[in-house]
């Protein structure tokens, strides 16, 4: 079925367009015109559905992550469906799950948003998020783990390059893998055409990942004892290698910030942006009560207000840029011919005021209105 949808404005993932009618057919965008429309959405802006490139569908934001192994598979899958639906209602039409248990997120690919899956993150024995079941040590161990994921059909390989704060006994500063081990993982994944992203908080883990040639770094806060210590030489290498940073900064504004150094983290990202790092706005939804599955739009607003992005740049960071980072740049994150008809209509104009993103009027997923 062919349908022409009119909005007062269209933002295509990079800029505002003169055309105001998006034609969709069989789940794809087949036209961007100024012609007649079948449906007029009124004073809204149509933009590409948002991409949250870091979520944990199986996590309960009000629960304790280390308790996850105690939940049955049915309970986990049911929670994943509910969380995916919450994201979709907020206009997030693609989510990338960066840590589940037993590859369960593959079972919820039909839950609403498009779901990209990493399976259990690769981590050292007893290391960060070991309880998700992805323990692997040394060169042979990491090679075997990545090969298993490729055979399982993951969309991305996720590796814990440093420890993390939600795992008892794990330190965010501790480097879990060497450059050589990470490079071995990258080689296998890239041979299979799959991107690699690493979780990294501390400077040495971030540096090892950048040297190994991963596609993106999650967090990249440069946490150090007593605060933050950005290694700007590593940042420089990130820029030269075109490595993305997925900031995981989006959270509900009503809640307490996760770290006391929160403001400084955002200021550092502002400096990284100026230096040319490709920043993607993401949430890490599921890891705490301020990290709900509809948090992403708040992070985009903050990219404009605190991190120093233009409004169009902030919108791009969670649409066209995020889609490209996830390997979906030919299909998602833009309103363009042949792209998936994943669309979000918000009241007003987010290019003028990003807070418009918080007033969702319609969501379309593969051409179907939710
Ligand atoms: Zn995470």
């Amino acid at each position: 079925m062919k349908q022409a949808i009119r909005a007062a404005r269209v933002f295509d993932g990079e800029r505002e367009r003169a055309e105001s009618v998006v034609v969709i057919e069989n789940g794809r965008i087949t036209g961007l015109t100024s012609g007649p429309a079948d449906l007029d959405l009124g004073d809204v802006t149509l933009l590409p559905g948002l991409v949250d490139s870091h979520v944990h569908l199986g996590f309960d934001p009000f629960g304790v992550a280390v308790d996850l192994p105690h939940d049955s598979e049915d309970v986990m899958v049911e929670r994943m469906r509910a969380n995916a639906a919450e994201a979709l209602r907020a206009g997030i039409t693609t989510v990338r799950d960066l840590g589940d248990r037993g590859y369960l997120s593959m079972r919820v690919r039909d839950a609403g948003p498009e779901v990209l899956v990493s399976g259990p993150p690769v981590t050292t024995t007893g290391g960060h998020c070991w309880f998700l079941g992805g323990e692997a040590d040394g060169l042979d161990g990491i090679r075997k783990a990545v090969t298993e994921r490729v055979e399982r059909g993951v969309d991305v390989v996720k590796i814990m390059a440093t420890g993390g704060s939600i795992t008892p006994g794990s330190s965010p500063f501790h480097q879990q893998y060497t450059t050589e081990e990470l490079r071995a993982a990258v080689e296998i994944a890239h041979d299979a055409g799959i991107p690699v992203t690493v979780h990294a908080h501390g400077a040495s883990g971030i540096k090892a990942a950048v040297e190994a040639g991963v596609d993106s770094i999650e967090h990249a806060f440069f946490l150090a004892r007593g605060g933050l210590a950005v290694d700007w030489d590593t940042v420089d290498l990130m820029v030269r290698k075109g490595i993305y940073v997925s900031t995981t900064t989006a959270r509900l504004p009503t809640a307490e910030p996760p770290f006391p150094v929160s403001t400084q983290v955002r200021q550092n990202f502002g400096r990284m942006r100026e230096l040319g790092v490709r920043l993607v706005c993401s949430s890490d939804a599921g890891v705490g009560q301020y990290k709900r599955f509809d948090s992403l739009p708040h992070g985009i607003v903050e990219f404009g207000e605190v991190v120093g992005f233009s409004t169009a740049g902030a919108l791009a960071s969670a649409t066209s840029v995020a889609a490209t980072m996830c390997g979906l740049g030919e299909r998602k994150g833009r309103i363009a011919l042949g792209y998936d008809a994943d669309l979000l209509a918000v009241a007003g104009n987010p290019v003028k005021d990003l807070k418009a993103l918080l007033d969702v009027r319609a969501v379309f997923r593969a051409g179907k209105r939710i």
Side-chain angles (χ1 to χ4, degrees), residues 87-276:
L88 188 60
R89 286 193 296 274
I92 300 158
T93 50
T94 301
V95 294
R96 186 164 78 159
D97 190 286
L98 289 188
D100 67 5
R101 204 187 85 207
Y103 300 87
L104 290 176
S105 40
M106 286 186 176
R107 288 205 211 159
V108 298
R109 289 196 197 267
D110 62 345
E114 175 130 358
V115 178
L116 302 180
V117 177
S118 75
V122 179
T123 192
T124 48
T125 296
H128 182 42
C129 285
W130 61 269
F131 46 83
L132 295 176
E135 291 172 317
D137 300 294
L139 261 181
D140 286 347
I142 206 165
R143 283 196 182 113
K144 199 166 149 246
V146 175
T147 302
E148 177 195 310
R149 281 156 182 74
V150 169
E151 286 168 0
R152 285 275 198 155
V154 299
D155 302 289
V156 56
V157 170
K158 165 89 179 288
I159 303 174
M160 301 305 200
T162 70
S165 47
I166 64 167
T167 304
S170 172
S171 160
F173 323 120
H174 172 68
Q175 183 183 340
Q176 298 200 151
Y177 292 109
T178 63
T179 302
E180 192 191 8
E181 286 162 349
L182 294 173
R183 195 173 278 137
V186 168
E187 273 170 18
I188 295 169
H190 283 183
D191 276 352
I194 297 169
V196 174
T197 196
V198 302
H199 155 109
H201 285 303
S204 69
I206 296 170
K207 186 179 181 191
V210 170
E211 286 174 345
V214 302
D215 299 274
S216 52
I217 315 264
E218 308 294 326
H219 318 299
F221 290 180
F222 289 94
L223 286 182
R225 270 173 232 290
L228 300 174
V230 179
D231 174 356
W232 294 105
D233 289 339
T234 296
V235 171
D236 186 51
L237 193 57
M238 260 181 214
V239 174
R240 280 186 281 134
K241 290 192 163 193
I243 294 171
Y244 292 85
V245 166
S246 162
T247 63
T248 66
T249 44
R251 62 188 156 96
L252 297 186
T254 48
E256 286 297 304
F259 295 106
V261 290
S262 187
T263 305
Q264 209 192 332
V265 163
R266 284 154 180 78
Q267 286 165 353
N268 287 340
F269 281 143
R271 181 79 190 118
M272 287 186 209
R273 182 192 63 80
E274 287 167 1
L275 292 171

Side-chain angles (χ1 to χ4, degrees), residues 54 56 98 158 219 284 287:
H54 188 146
H56 298 276
L98 289 188
K158 165 89 179 288
H219 318 299
D284 211 355
V287 299

